């Protein structure tokens, strides 16, 4: 009986050893529960990490996160990116570091950047007194009774010298007339405000074909809304450089921001897909995105124009549609 009990014990231990060997020979890794959020990275459909959304600052500061650009930070806070660069002594607006804390309010004594064409144009003011030379005129006259009467205000006894009749003006040559006629136009162009700085040189194009369903200023809107079909091509309204491409601004979905001449920015929101990347140079009419409904309740393009951080009514810049 003792032998039988020993055999039974050996069989049990043999089974345990075999089970252990089977566990060691299993292929693959044991599942690991990643409980730390530091190791989790959400990704978009295109495989690009989702960056924290940029919300307007409540304390005048912004901590730079991966994917942020100075243009997007300024856009979210209604500021001019150049002011933020000056306030934080940045060497280039294209270079900010993750974890860097940026101030979004001017330091004491900072100079505010304002567009020149927002200032009222100087107007001509009439002189309070006629521009007439008055006595004395610093003119040396030889002594005589007549000259004494002239400078003392007394009536002269006799006229000094009869006034010489000025010669008749000669007929102006065609060349002189042409120069004279061109002079006022040149002066007017030199004194008039420079209107070219307020609009891009080549004008604007409509970013997409569709129905206008939202206007600037309506319900606090900072741009216009154009409804259309999903995947309708979205086009650049003017030549420029892509300064932001992502979904980091709350309420804009997949957003594209392009910088144009004259410090203009154009923004294209709620896209289904973005076809260009930051740093790309685009031409007017180039396809840059596909229309969608990201962070929106319908398929539409939300389009904005900004200058010096100030939203402008796009309908005053876009050509009229028939």
């Amino acid at each position: 009986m003792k032998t039988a009990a020993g055999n039974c014990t050996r069989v049990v231990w043999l089974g345990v050893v075999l089970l252990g060997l089977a566990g060691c020979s299993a292929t693959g890794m044991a599942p690991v529960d990643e409980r730390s959020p530091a190791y989790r990275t959400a990704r978009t459909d295109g495989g690009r990490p989702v960056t924290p959304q940029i919300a307007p600052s409540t304390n005048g500061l912004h901590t730079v996160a991966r994917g942020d650009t100075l243009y997007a930070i300024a856009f979210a806070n209604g500021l001019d990116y150049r002011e933020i660069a000056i306030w934080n002594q940045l060497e280039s607006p294209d270079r900010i570091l993750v974890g860097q804390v940026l101030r979004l309010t001017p330091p004491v004594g900072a100079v505010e950047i304002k567009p020149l064409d927002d200032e009222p144009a100087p107007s001509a003011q009439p002189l309070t007194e006629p521009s007439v030379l008055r006595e004395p005129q610093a003119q040396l006259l030889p002594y005589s009774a007549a000259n004494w009467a002239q400078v003392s205000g007394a009536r002269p006894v006799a006229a000094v010298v009869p006034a010489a009749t000025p010669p008749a003006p000669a007929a102006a040559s065609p060349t002189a007339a042409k120069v004279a006629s061109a002079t006022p136009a040149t002066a007017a162009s030199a004194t008039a405000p420079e209107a070219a700085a307020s609009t891009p040189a080549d004008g604007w194009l409509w970013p997409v074909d569709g129905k206008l369903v939202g206007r600037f200023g309506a319900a606090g809107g900072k741009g216009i809304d154009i409804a259309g079909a999903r995947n309708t091509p979205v086009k650049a309204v003017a030549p420029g450089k892509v300064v932001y491409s992502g979904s980091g601004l709350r309420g804009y979905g997949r957003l594209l921001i392009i910088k144009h001449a004259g410090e203009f920015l154009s923004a294209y929101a709620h896209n289904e897909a973005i076809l260009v990347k930051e740093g790309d140079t685009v031409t007017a009419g180039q396809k840059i995105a596909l229309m969608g409904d990201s962070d929106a309740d319908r398929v539409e393009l939300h389009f904005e124009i900004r200058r010096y951080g100030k939203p402008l009514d796009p309908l005053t810049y876009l050509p009229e549609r028939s």
Side-chain angles (χ1 to χ4, degrees), residues 204-207 233-239 268 282-288:
W204 296 97
L205 302 176
W206 277 84
V234 178
K235 302 176 182 179
V237 297
Y268 314 75
V282 298
T283 59
Q286 178 179 338
K287 186 165 65 173
I288 55 177

Side-chain angles (χ1 to χ4, degrees), residues 175-189:
T175 303
K178 185 181 297 184
V179 173
S181 61
T183 302
T186 304
S189 63

